[in-house]
Structure formats: structure tokens, C-alpha cells
Amino acid sequence: MSRIDEELAEAVREGEEPEAQANFAAADPEPIAQRPKRSLGLLIALLVMAVGILTLVMTGFEDAAIYSKGVDELIKERDRLAARNVRVEGMLVKGTLTRRDQPCEYRFRITKNGAELPVHYAQCVVPDTFRDMPGMDVAVTAEGKLSPAGHFEANHIMAKCPSKYEMKERKAKGEAAPHTDLTPAAAQLKN
């Protein structure tokens, strides 16, 4: 036998001796019967903490969730979504965009699939692309909540800019870009 085999056999013999087992038990001051109770207590404490954290996460994100709906869907689900944050999408109704100075507020109506929704936006500044442009539909997305009075209180609005291809088509037809305010004389000077 090799030296390694002899050492291994010796170690096994020592592990089987009753004296070695007695020494092992004497080295551990805590009785073996006490270990499972401590482990069970630790397991219960960890489970309670995990359930508590999970509960906080689930209840904390409930108000942060934003539902995205079209105007028609929002009106159908008005009662269910009344107190929740909602993102509503629709087209700006032509001629409804108005601005009030005191207090500073924009009011307009958006529509989708035949349903209309009045929107109040209590801010002084709107995105540059949010304009009532003649001959062009403006897609609007508003975030906020439905008010008990029946209108939508927006705290953020976004307007979809017309695509560059749509602008090229309009230019080919001889129309000016809707966001430029050139008079005919200024347009001739520019050409």
C-alpha cells in the first residue's frame, strides 16, 4: 500500500473510535438537540421578512402603475379607472385648443373611435409639436387622472410630430410646413 492509503485508513479508524466521538461532542458546548430549534427560528424569521418585503413591493407599485387606454376605452371604464393614473391617447379635435393666462392652463378635446374627452392641462408650457394645425391631425397622449367633474386632469402631454415623409408630400403639393409662420412674401424671398 502506498503512504496515502495508509493515512486514509488511519483517519477512518480514528473517526470510528468512541473516544474521538466523545471528544467531538465535548468540543461542541451546545447539545445537538438545540440546533434544529435555532435553525427553525431563523427560517421563520427569514420567511416573515420575505413576506413583509413582498407585501411592500406589491402595494407600493399599485399607485405607480399607469394604464394606457384610448379615449373610447377610458370612457367605457370610467368608474374603474377614476382614481388611477392613466395615459390616454387620441387625436386633437380641431378648433378646441385654448389657453387661459390666469391661472395658466390649456384646455382641449381629444377623440378616438367616436368618443370625445375634455382635457385640462394646468401648465404654461406645452411641447413644440402640440399645435392645432389646419389640415393635419395631431396625435396626443396625455397622462393624469379623471376628475369627478368629468374631464381629464393631465399632468403631462405629448404630441406626435408629423413624419418627415408626410411633410415631403405636403411640400410636393405646394403646402407650407404647418409649424412655420412664413408670409407669402417671406416664402418668396426664401425660394
Side-chain angles (χ1 to χ4, degrees):
M1 267 195 188
S2 71
R3 176 75 181 139
I4 295 174
D5 290 337
E6 290 173 12
E7 288 177 5
L8 209 84
E10 187 179 328
V12 169
R13 277 192 303 267
E14 286 177 9
E16 292 175 354
E17 292 177 5
E19 186 180 303
Q21 289 176 357
N23 288 340
F24 179 72
D28 190 7
E30 186 175 331
I32 294 175
Q34 293 295 327
R35 286 188 194 157
K37 288 183 182 180
R38 190 171 85 193
S39 296
L40 184 63
L42 180 62
L43 179 63
I44 291 172
L46 288 174
L47 285 173
V48 167
M49 287 175 31
V51 168
I53 290 171
L54 187 61
T55 303
L56 285 174
V57 167
M58 297 305 277
T59 58
F61 284 127
E62 188 174 311
D63 290 334
I66 296 179
Y67 292 90
S68 184
K69 301 285 183 184
V71 173
D72 54 333
E73 296 170 318
L74 181 64
I75 291 174
K76 285 179 189 174
E77 299 177 32
R78 180 181 298 259
D79 296 333
R80 187 176 72 88
L81 300 173
R84 298 182 184 241
N85 286 328
V86 181
R87 180 178 294 146
V88 63
E89 299 170 351
M91 301 302 282
L92 178 67
V93 176
K94 299 283 182 209
T96 62
L97 180 61
T98 58
R99 182 175 191 259
R100 187 172 70 173
D101 288 331
Q102 293 296 328
C104 196
E105 179 182 56
Y106 281 89
R107 291 187 179 188
F108 54 94
R109 298 178 75 78
I110 56 176
T111 184
K112 186 171 186 178
N113 296 332
E116 275 193 19
L117 179 68
V119 179
H120 295 185
Y121 180 61
Q123 301 288 326
C124 296
V125 180
V126 293
D128 291 339
T129 55
F130 186 63
R131 300 280 181 251
D132 193 358
M133 298 182 249
M136 188 172 289
D137 291 330
V138 179
V140 178
T141 302
E143 290 180 12
K145 293 183 179 184
L146 282 167
S147 76
H151 63 274
F152 189 79
E153 288 289 336
N155 53 30
H156 184 72
I157 59 172
M158 298 169 278
K160 183 181 175 191
C161 181
S163 72
K164 64 181 180 180
Y165 302 109
E166 186 178 344
M167 298 305 292
K168 285 181 181 179
E169 288 174 14
R170 290 181 68 119
K171 187 176 181 180
K173 293 178 185 176
E175 298 179 35
H179 51 72
T180 58
D181 296 322
L182 296 177
T183 60
Q188 287 178 350
L189 289 174
K190 190 164 186 158
N191 293 336

